[in-house]
Amino acid sequence: MAPSTNSVCITFFMMQSRVLSSSLRLFTTPATCELNSSLQRLQVQPTHHHLEQLILSHFSTTTNNNPHSSQTYATLFHACARLYRLDIGQKLHNHCMLYHDLFAPHQQLYTINHLLNMYAKCGDLEYAHQLFDHMPHRNIVSWTCLISGYAQYGNTDQCFRLLSNMLVHYRPNDFAYASVLSVCDSGSLCGRKVHALVIKTGFDSCVYVCNALIAMYSRNSGGTEAWKVFNDMEFRNIVSWNTIIALFQMCGQGDKAMRCFSLMHRDSCLGFDRATLVSVLSSLLGMDGIDFSWGLRSCFQLHCVSVKTGLILDVGIVTAMVKAYSILRGEVGDCYKLFLETNGCRDLMLWTEIIVAFSERDPEKAILLFGQLLRQGLSLDSYAFSIALKACAGLVTDRNALMVHCKVIKSGFVDALVLGNALIHAYARCGSVAQANQVFEEMRYRDIVTWNSMLKAYALHGKANEALELFGKMDVKPDAATFVALLSACSHAGMVQEGIQIFDAMFEKYGIVPQLEHYACIVDIVGRAGHIFQAEKIIKEMPMQPDYVVWSAFLGACRKHRESGLAQIAASRLKELDPENSLGYVLMSNVYCSAHSFNEAGHLRKQMRGLGVTKQPGLSWTDLG
């Protein structure tokens, strides 16, 4: 990514700090030597504690009324800006005004610039602008400080206005350009004007400005112009590469991000860093129609590179790697091995990702890991609890859901909307509709997901009347998922007329156009009730091509009512849509067996074996003890 505006003008001040350091050596008394030593440490790595102690020791009006040099104040103003300590900066300003007239002609300009920078960086832009207006003399640093401050707080209009006024007195530098560009986007006329000015003044060869241009064109854009700026750069640094890779990640173009990383790794002598790898790994997950085998190969290559460079020791890299392997359907055991190799430096994000990896494939292991996480003493967030509840939804009883529910209450998340929705889902999947309803009733805030979750809970357990009654109480506008839940409830309860009425009301009353999942439900409703030809008519009149779910619902109805002729049509469509799925073969075989056509059923089973199609064994959960 392009450097943030927080760092604008830092280079100016770091150069000036060398001057300050040499000036500080002139003081030779013990008190001043101690102060100078503290100031030098503050320049290298400022900390809140160090700054507070220095102010207390040398600048308290009750302990010390001695004047200090303007260089000393400049150093301290700079530290306050870096630490965002406006409170200390204001006290220093008052202390400085007791002994120095900052606007006197002889006063050094860089001291006032540091004061201006402190107010701007700390967010007191109104006072910073007043200070700027009263300055008897200004240089390019003065203008850049104020522009940078407005950019840091997203004030595009003021940035552009100041840059325009600055042109009368000075030619903008790379810091000023980067600051203004940081608050523009690709659709902004201001951004394009600044780009034109950059070219006109010859700063299009400056890598710092070009990085800011790439970042600007990456916002709200397909990335064509950003790529053009990148491609035209004579020299690129690691920020240039990271910014363009991050762009491909945002655009869901993982293949281009991977190709760009390969070019960077092969042709650039810069190497890469943590941000590079995290962006490339993330880009593999956001692609439309991703090829999982290609994604896993790419992930494995990045894994190898991270091991060779030692970046695998970074917990952030491991977290991104675990997430990538999990989403790309890699072996969950590989995720767990990566997790174990980080012993001693695991943060909440890594714990959460490994629990996510196990939550669907091995929910019991996910709950065990969640128990280990609780013993780590980390402060859990709502996302961690929601993932644990997702794992609970895959188990047979509500025992684990009750345990996580207790932890949610103890951790103060009782009013968290996301967790309330997750609890309803978990209890419903575990068979405890009563607990799900209790959570629903106790929720102070409800959104459309809350209502839909409760409707799905009733639908899952065949409680169509309760679902319809709840639908009548909804105080939010229903969406497409609402009607999927209602139609499913009617289907499970055999409520044909109610289902048809709901389906018709979707568009007529609520303006929601039925989608494939709604057609699958209505086909299932009328088909289960024995209206096979009506179901066939619905399929023929669909405004889109029926998918696998629609045809499987129709085939299931044909099997139930022994309609072998239409069943053959449905089975052939299923084979075309997904030749490796056993559902169509198995259902059609059952149709033949029901009609005592055992030879045809045997031929179909033989055909399955020849094509390598295997039936997934059914299973049921039970809880012992």
Side-chain angles (χ1 to χ4, degrees):
M1 299 296 292
S4 70
T5 56
N6 297 354
S7 63
V8 175
C9 298
I10 291 287
T11 302
F12 286 107
F13 295 132
M14 292 307 291
M15 289 189 294
Q16 291 176 3
S17 70
R18 298 192 186 99
V19 178
L20 299 180
S21 297
S22 61
S23 301
L24 293 171
R25 297 191 193 103
L26 299 174
F27 299 96
T28 56
T29 65
T32 54
C33 283
E34 179 189 350
L35 175 60
N36 293 342
S37 176
S38 297
L39 290 171
Q40 287 174 346
R41 288 199 303 272
L42 201 64
Q43 285 177 315
V44 176
Q45 185 61 53
T47 64
H48 291 277
H49 176 73
H50 186 193
L51 179 61
E52 289 166 359
Q53 288 297 314
L54 193 148
I55 297 299
L56 186 64
S57 302
H58 298 280
F59 291 85
S60 172
T61 55
T62 58
T63 60
N64 194 325
N65 287 316
N66 295 325
H68 298 281
S69 69
S70 57
Q71 294 95 327
T72 300
Y73 287 110
T75 303
L76 290 168
F77 288 142
H78 184 48
C80 291
R82 292 178 68 182
L83 296 171
Y84 299 99
R85 292 302 300 266
L86 180 61
D87 55 336
I88 294 178
Q90 288 172 328
K91 291 176 182 177
L92 277 170
H93 186 188
N94 292 334
H95 192 280
C96 178
M97 292 298 289
L98 292 173
Y99 306 104
H100 298 277
D101 179 4
L102 288 175
F103 299 111
H106 67 276
Q107 192 59 251
Q108 296 185 23
L109 183 58
Y110 66 75
T111 305
I112 308 176
N113 282 342
H114 276 289
L115 179 64
L116 173 65
N117 181 63
M118 185 272 295
Y119 278 110
K121 290 294 186 294
C122 292
D124 194 345
L125 293 167
E126 184 179 353
Y127 189 85
H129 210 133
Q130 289 178 16
L131 185 65
F132 177 82
D133 289 339
H134 285 87
M135 289 174 67
H137 304 288
R138 305 181 192 117
N139 61 10
I140 193 168
V141 178
S142 313
W143 287 92
T144 306
C145 285
L146 194 57
I147 290 172
S148 173
Y150 277 115
Q152 183 178 324
Y153 292 93
N155 196 324
T156 308
D157 293 338
Q158 277 287 16
C159 282
F160 195 72
R161 193 175 297 116
L162 278 168
L163 183 71
S164 300
N165 294 336
M166 182 184 182
L167 291 171
V168 178
H169 308 281
Y170 297 100
R171 189 177 75 159
N173 56 24
D174 48 355
F175 298 101
Y177 281 129
S179 293
V180 178
L181 289 169
S182 70
V183 290
C184 299
D185 59 43
S186 57
S188 166
L189 181 61
C190 293
R192 295 180 182 277
K193 286 181 178 179
V194 175
H195 190 178
L197 188 61
V198 163
I199 297 171
K200 187 176 180 180
T201 53
F203 277 90
D204 54 330
S205 60
C206 174
V207 65
Y208 188 71
V209 176
C210 287
N211 290 343
L213 283 167
I214 295 170
M216 181 196 74
Y217 284 122
S218 298
R219 292 186 283 272
N220 306 324
S221 171
T224 305
E225 290 169 303
W227 175 254
K228 186 178 185 304
V229 173
F230 177 83
N231 218 29
D232 290 342
M233 291 174 70
E234 294 181 14
F235 171 76
R236 306 179 184 109
N237 61 13
I238 193 168
V239 177
S240 315
W241 288 97
N242 286 354
T243 307
I244 201 68
I245 289 172
L247 166 64
F248 290 136
Q249 175 208 335
M250 290 187 293
C251 295
Q253 299 173 330
D255 52 342
K256 291 184 179 179
M258 193 67 189
R259 199 154 52 240
C260 197
F261 175 75
S262 299
L263 286 171
M264 177 185 184
H265 189 48
R266 186 188 68 195
D267 300 336
S268 173
C269 59
L270 295 168
F272 53 89
D273 60 7
R274 176 184 185 275
T276 318
L277 274 180
V278 170
S279 286
V280 181
L281 282 165
S282 301
S283 72
L284 300 177
L285 313 179
M287 297 174 62
D288 294 329
I290 183 172
D291 181 346
F292 287 100
S293 60
W294 174 84
L296 273 177
R297 284 198 308 274
S298 301
C299 189
F300 183 72
Q301 290 168 352
L302 294 170
H303 189 175
C304 293
V305 168
S306 67
V307 171
K308 287 179 68 176
T309 56
L311 285 171
I312 196 63
L313 299 175
D314 186 295
V315 68
I317 296 293
V318 176
T319 303
M321 202 77 67
V322 168
K323 183 177 182 179
Y325 275 127
S326 173
I327 293 177
L328 295 169
R329 303 176 186 174
E331 291 293 330
V332 73
D334 293 338
C335 297
Y336 193 54
K337 281 171 63 178
L338 272 169
F339 174 77
L340 291 177
E341 289 170 1
T342 60
N343 189 26
C345 58
R346 298 170 188 152
D347 60 9
L348 180 60
M349 290 184 66
L350 179 56
W351 276 102
T352 304
E353 286 304 333
I354 193 63
I355 294 171
V356 169
F358 279 100
S359 60
E360 289 186 356
R361 306 190 211 182
D362 190 349
E364 286 184 297
K365 180 67 174 177
I367 294 299
L368 285 172
L369 285 166
F370 182 72
Q372 293 177 27
L373 170 58
L374 291 174
R375 292 191 289 273
Q376 297 300 308
L378 296 171
S379 179
L380 272 62
D381 57 13
S382 58
Y383 181 65
F385 282 114
S386 69
I387 295 304
L389 288 168
K390 180 182 178 182
C392 293
L395 299 173
V396 64
T397 70
D398 62 359
R399 185 172 55 200
N400 291 294
L402 285 165
M403 179 271 292
V404 177
H405 192 175
C406 291
K407 294 293 183 184
V408 166
I409 295 170
K410 288 178 68 175
S411 301
F413 289 108
V414 67
D415 289 328
L417 184 61
V418 172
L419 293 182
N421 296 340
L423 280 163
I424 293 171
H425 174 72
Y427 280 130
R429 297 288 297 180
C430 295
S432 185
V433 184
Q435 287 284 1
N437 184 62
Q438 183 179 341
V439 172
F440 178 83
E441 293 295 338
E442 292 175 354
M443 289 177 69
R444 294 171 61 188
Y445 311 102
R446 298 174 188 146
D447 62 1
I448 185 62
V449 178
T450 313
W451 289 93
N452 288 349
S453 298
M454 197 62 227
L455 288 171
K456 288 175 185 175
Y458 285 135
L460 185 64
H461 295 278
K463 296 181 179 292
N465 289 323
E466 288 86 345
L468 292 173
E469 182 182 350
L470 184 67
F471 176 65
K473 298 177 181 177
M474 280 185 70
D475 56 5
V476 295
K477 185 180 180 181
D479 62 5
T482 308
F483 290 98
V484 171
L486 289 170
L487 291 169
S488 297
C490 293
S491 176
H492 293 157
M495 299 171 66
V496 181
Q497 290 304 317
E498 290 84 350
I500 293 173
Q501 289 173 6
I502 289 168
F503 183 81
D504 291 339
M506 275 184 65
F507 182 73
E508 294 174 2
K509 186 175 180 180
Y510 298 99
I512 298 173
V513 179
Q515 300 300 316
L516 283 167
E517 56 266 31
H518 303 105
Y519 280 102
C521 289
I522 196 64
V523 166
D524 190 53
I525 288 171
V526 298
R528 280 178 187 242
H531 307 298
I532 304 297
F533 295 104
Q534 185 180 353
E536 182 190 19
K537 182 183 177 185
I538 291 171
I539 293 175
K540 287 181 178 179
E541 292 177 354
M542 284 175 60
M544 72 284 288
Q545 288 296 316
D547 65 353
Y548 195 91
V549 180
V550 174
W551 283 115
S552 60
F554 185 62
L555 180 55
C558 293
R559 178 213 168 193
K560 180 180 179 180
H561 297 284
R562 301 183 180 182
E563 188 63 52
S564 58
L566 292 175
Q568 288 180 343
I569 296 173
S572 64
R573 294 290 186 273
L574 289 175
K575 292 175 191 176
E576 291 173 8
L577 292 168
D578 191 355
E580 297 180 1
N581 195 312
S582 64
L583 180 63
Y585 296 95
V586 173
L587 286 177
M588 196 62 222
S589 174
N590 293 339
V591 170
Y592 285 135
C593 290
S594 298
H596 304 290
S597 301
F598 298 110
N599 288 335
E600 286 85 349
H603 176 72
L604 198 59
R605 295 279 181 174
K606 186 177 179 181
Q607 186 182 358
M608 281 179 65
R609 286 193 295 272
L611 294 171
V613 179
T614 57
K615 179 183 180 297
Q616 294 295 324
L619 57 90
S620 298
W621 278 99
T622 188
D623 192 46
L624 300 176

